[in-house]
Amino acid sequence: MKYCFGVDIGGTTVKMGLFEKTGEILDKWEIVTRREDEGKAVLPDVAASVAEKIQEHHLKEADIIGIGVGVPAPVTEDGVVKASANIGWGYKEVKKELEELTGFSVEVGNDANVAALGEMWKGGGEGNSNIVMVTLGTGVGGGVIVGGKVIIGTQGAGGEIGHMCVNYEEVEVCGCGNRGCLEQYASATGIVRLARRKLAQDKRETVLKAENVTAKDVFDAVKAGDCVAQEIAEEFGKYLGYCLANIAAITDPAVIVIGGGVSKAGEVLLPYIQTPFLERALFTNKGVEFRLAKLGNDAGICGAAKLILDEYSS
Amino acid sequence: MKYCFGVDIGGTTVKMGLFEKTGEILDKWEIVTRREDEGKAVLPDVAASVAEKIQEHHLKEADIIGIGVGVPAPVTEDGVVKASANIGWGYKEVKKELEELTGFSVEVGNDANVAALGEMWKGGGEGNSNIVMVTLGTGVGGGVIVGGKVIIGTQGAGGEIGHMCVNYEEVEVCGCGNRGCLEQYASATGIVRLARRKLAQDKRETVLKAENVTAKDVFDAVKAGDCVAQEIAEEFGKYLGYCLANIAAITDPAVIVIGGGVSKAGEVLLPYIQTPFLERALFTNKGVEFRLAKLGNDAGICGAAKLILDEYSS
């Protein structure tokens, strides 16, 4: 049997998994992300943890295919990161450094792209090689997969779905510096923004309160039949569904997978996205399936494992 | 020396080329597209023309790598067309049929996608493997290339740039049945529409006349310094540039190539597209280069040749 490691480096913890080549997870664990000193300990910590687990599981080094890694930053095809604020890194040759530290083959990708690969492999997109994955969290991330391969792009910045402009009239500024980005409406914070705007002008009765309203509150209220909440969900879904219709015109996916914290609202979410999608999708794309992500926090380590397995088999 | 054929099937003529493996065009010619009887003669005519040219150039069959074909319809990865109104075809297994007719390997792609591949190989996108090509003709076509491969999509409908929605307020209907498609503003007919709307309400002096105005008239007037024409070009460029910024967020291209009849206006076109693009592009995409297509009518046969050469070398 051959094995590989999937590593998902985040700003607080590094999630790690030991996989069989077939995809079965044998072990998973976390280590702390030591961001101090420009995060210089992060890769050595990963290398040490890999070495430990090899011992613990009595594996032979010759049976290790390699290590796949997801990083919260654009990553070029040769595994270089220009900067990652979340980890404290400046320019870093992640692939090269980790290969030197471990002696194993390493493949590196952007974390959202890698999570999409995980969902394609073992999650909501299973069985399809053309998927769009949207991660609705604090921000909106994404991964677009075409013919089984993530769109990486010239600088590793492919799949930046959250920064497609969906409203040219927006006056508030997005974190990226532009105005009207999808992230301003479809992230957890975006939904709160929509809710606050709505609650400030809508005088109907609602269980929602403008102070401290969360995306979860909105979808809980939706489920309880609250009309005001349903209209907030409709607005959210319109921005997201229209944007996905435009993405579908370019990549003609079989499945669109909705993940991230917001997707914990469950199946109730999907019609709010699919209805406006169908309103705007090109006729060839009307059959696209909408599914919820399945892997939760494991999407990153699974996709990272898939990244190195694909490299090995190619 | 090894050779291949590039075939670009259109509604009126089939353009054909004989290529050396290195990409040099040895011969190019056209035959008539016989659309009658559901276009059943089209592929046999192509096969006969290929056989003739092999004789004429005294080639050995063993030296023919194969035939690449572009078709004006969505084409699945296995070379199947569901229907092509332009040629009169219903469901057609183009790859299989032409392989049986000729005995050579055949690869088939959508014509706009294939033209993009041609421009990547030997035209405006030369030297880059991540490009977006937009063809501004009667309609707006496109091809999006990622890592040297065209995005084909689940049903062969990838790269339908012309049917991305760029104006949710539009009331007129596009040929596809939706409203606000890029094609309604950036095609030759779209520019005429913009010009007519503008001329109906703008009372300033202009060389443009609402009756019979063409896209060429608009850009000729732009070059002559006509303010009204320049504002029409600005509107055209805004829709196109904003749309390209959204595409760039997904595919992170190195180069955007502008082709098709409208692009004959020349370099004057590019700033009208690039300025709004830069206004809306994600910071990672500000460095994208804008270039004019170079191959004109040869893009199709070149891309078709590249399609079969790529298959051969993979």
Side-chain angles (χ1 to χ4, degrees):
Chain A
M1 182 53 70
K2 297 271 188 184
Y3 306 90
C4 71
F5 291 89
V7 179
D8 182 13
I9 305 182
T12 313
T13 61
V14 181
K15 297 183 180 63
M16 300 181 67
L18 171 62
F19 291 76
E20 282 187 6
K21 196 185 149 190
T22 53
E24 204 183 323
I25 304 182
L26 298 177
D27 193 359
K28 63 181 188 180
W29 66 99
E30 291 185 8
I31 61 176
V32 169
T33 306
R34 291 199 285 152
R35 297 170 52 178
E36 59 269 26
D37 294 333
E38 298 184 337
K40 73 175 180 190
V42 174
L43 291 181
D45 286 352
V46 167
S49 186
V50 162
E52 232 170 68
K53 284 289 168 177
I54 289 175
Q55 273 213 319
E56 188 185 320
H57 289 271
H58 309 291
L59 305 177
K60 280 183 269 179
E61 296 212 343
D63 291 333
I64 307 295
I65 290 167
I67 305 168
V69 183
V71 172
V75 181
T76 62
E77 289 203 52
D78 44 355
V80 174
V81 168
K82 278 190 196 145
S84 175
N86 293 5
I87 314 183
W89 287 350
Y91 177 90
K92 199 161 205 71
E93 298 181 0
V94 181
K95 176 181 160 78
K96 186 163 168 270
E97 275 192 39
L98 195 57
E99 283 183 342
E100 284 170 4
L101 285 164
T102 62
F104 298 122
S105 295
V106 172
E107 285 297 317
V108 190
N110 166 266
D111 57 358
N113 289 349
V114 162
L117 202 58
E119 287 289 343
M120 180 195 77
W121 189 33
K122 301 174 51 148
E126 197 175 346
N128 294 279
S129 56
N130 292 296
I131 76 167
V132 174
M133 159 118 181
V134 195
T135 307
L136 307 174
T138 317
V140 171
V144 179
I145 297 183
V146 166
K149 296 265 176 205
V150 176
I151 297 183
I152 298 171
T154 310
Q155 305 146 93
E160 288 288 354
I161 295 172
H163 299 288
M164 291 175 76
C165 187
V166 295
N167 179 7
Y168 294 104
E169 312 304 322
E170 180 61 70
V171 292
E172 287 180 35
V173 178
C174 176
C176 75
N178 285 345
R179 288 178 176 81
C181 293
L182 177 63
E183 183 160 299
Q184 289 183 281
Y185 312 94
S187 63
T189 41
I191 294 167
V192 167
R193 222 171 56 99
L194 291 180
R196 289 213 180 115
R197 280 191 187 178
K198 179 82 173 172
L199 294 171
Q201 36 162 284
D202 196 314
K203 295 302 160 212
R204 284 174 296 169
E205 211 164 292
T206 167
V207 300
L208 297 174
K209 291 184 181 39
E211 313 81 55
N212 303 323
V213 65
T214 65
K216 182 173 183 305
D217 295 340
V218 171
F219 285 102
D220 284 347
V222 164
K223 287 175 204 166
D226 187 292
C227 293
V228 174
Q230 285 167 348
E231 287 177 18
I232 296 165
E234 275 167 23
E235 202 183 348
F236 146 85
K238 206 165 106 170
Y239 284 117
L240 180 51
Y242 285 3
C243 186
L244 288 168
N246 274 350
I247 299 173
I250 306 175
T251 72
D252 184 14
V255 179
I256 292 174
V257 180
I258 310 291
V262 173
S263 74
K264 288 184 189 157
E267 294 286 339
V268 67
L269 204 63
L270 298 184
Y272 283 102
I273 306 168
Q274 194 170 14
T275 304
F277 173 88
L278 288 174
E279 236 176 76
R280 288 290 174 180
L282 184 57
F283 59 93
T284 43
N285 301 131
K286 303 267 189 204
V288 174
E289 268 185 72
F290 280 75
R291 298 193 200 151
L292 292 171
K294 281 189 188 164
L295 303 179
N297 286 334
D298 288 348
I301 57 170
C302 288
K306 178 69 173 151
L307 202 61
I308 188 71
L309 289 174
D310 279 351
E311 188 55 28
Y312 173 74
S313 66
S314 73
Chain B
M1 181 54 70
K2 296 271 187 185
Y3 307 89
C4 70
F5 290 89
V7 178
D8 181 13
I9 305 183
T12 314
T13 60
V14 180
K15 296 183 181 64
M16 300 180 68
L18 170 62
F19 291 76
E20 283 187 5
K21 196 184 148 189
T22 52
E24 204 183 323
I25 305 183
L26 297 178
D27 193 357
K28 63 181 187 181
W29 66 99
E30 291 184 10
I31 61 176
V32 170
T33 307
R34 292 200 284 153
R35 296 169 54 177
E36 58 270 25
D37 294 333
E38 298 183 338
K40 72 176 182 189
V42 174
L43 291 181
D45 286 352
V46 167
S49 185
V50 162
E52 230 170 70
K53 284 290 168 178
I54 289 175
Q55 272 213 319
E56 187 185 321
H57 288 273
H58 309 291
L59 305 178
K60 280 183 269 181
E61 295 211 344
D63 291 334
I64 307 296
I65 290 166
I67 306 168
V69 183
V71 171
V75 181
T76 62
E77 289 203 54
D78 43 356
V80 174
V81 168
K82 277 190 197 146
S84 175
N86 293 8
I87 313 183
W89 288 349
Y91 177 89
K92 201 162 202 67
E93 298 182 359
V94 181
K95 176 182 161 77
K96 188 164 166 269
E97 275 192 39
L98 196 57
E99 284 183 341
E100 283 170 5
L101 285 163
T102 62
F104 298 123
S105 296
V106 173
E107 285 296 318
V108 189
N110 166 266
D111 57 357
N113 288 349
V114 162
L117 202 58
E119 287 289 343
M120 179 195 78
W121 189 31
K122 301 174 53 149
E126 197 175 346
N128 294 279
S129 56
N130 292 296
I131 76 166
V132 174
M133 159 116 180
V134 194
T135 307
L136 307 173
T138 316
V140 171
V144 179
I145 297 181
V146 165
K149 297 265 176 206
V150 176
I151 297 183
I152 297 171
T154 310
Q155 307 147 90
E160 287 290 351
I161 296 172
H163 298 289
M164 292 175 75
C165 186
V166 295
N167 180 7
Y168 293 103
E169 312 304 322
E170 180 60 70
V171 291
E172 288 180 35
V173 178
C174 176
C176 76
N178 284 345
R179 288 178 174 81
C181 293
L182 178 63
E183 185 160 295
Q184 291 183 280
Y185 312 93
S187 62
T189 41
I191 294 167
V192 167
R193 222 170 57 97
L194 291 179
R196 288 212 181 117
R197 280 190 186 178
K198 179 82 173 173
L199 294 171
Q201 38 162 281
D202 197 312
K203 295 303 160 211
R204 283 174 297 170
E205 211 163 294
T206 167
V207 299
L208 296 175
K209 291 182 182 39
E211 314 81 54
N212 304 323
V213 66
T214 65
K216 182 172 185 305
D217 294 341
V218 171
F219 285 101
D220 285 347
V222 164
K223 287 176 204 166
D226 187 293
C227 292
V228 175
Q230 285 167 348
E231 288 178 16
I232 297 165
E234 276 167 22
E235 203 183 348
F236 146 87
K238 208 165 106 170
Y239 284 117
L240 181 52
Y242 285 2
C243 185
L244 288 168
N246 274 351
I247 299 172
I250 306 174
T251 72
D252 184 14
V255 179
I256 291 174
V257 180
I258 310 291
V262 173
S263 73
K264 288 183 187 156
E267 294 285 339
V268 67
L269 205 63
L270 298 184
Y272 283 103
I273 306 167
Q274 192 168 17
T275 304
F277 173 87
L278 288 174
E279 237 174 74
R280 288 289 174 180
L282 184 58
F283 59 92
T284 43
N285 301 132
K286 303 266 189 205
V288 175
E289 268 184 71
F290 280 75
R291 298 193 200 151
L292 292 171
K294 279 188 189 165
L295 302 179
N297 287 334
D298 288 348
I301 57 171
C302 288
K306 177 70 172 152
L307 203 60
I308 188 70
L309 289 174
D310 279 351
E311 188 56 29
Y312 174 75
S313 66
S314 74

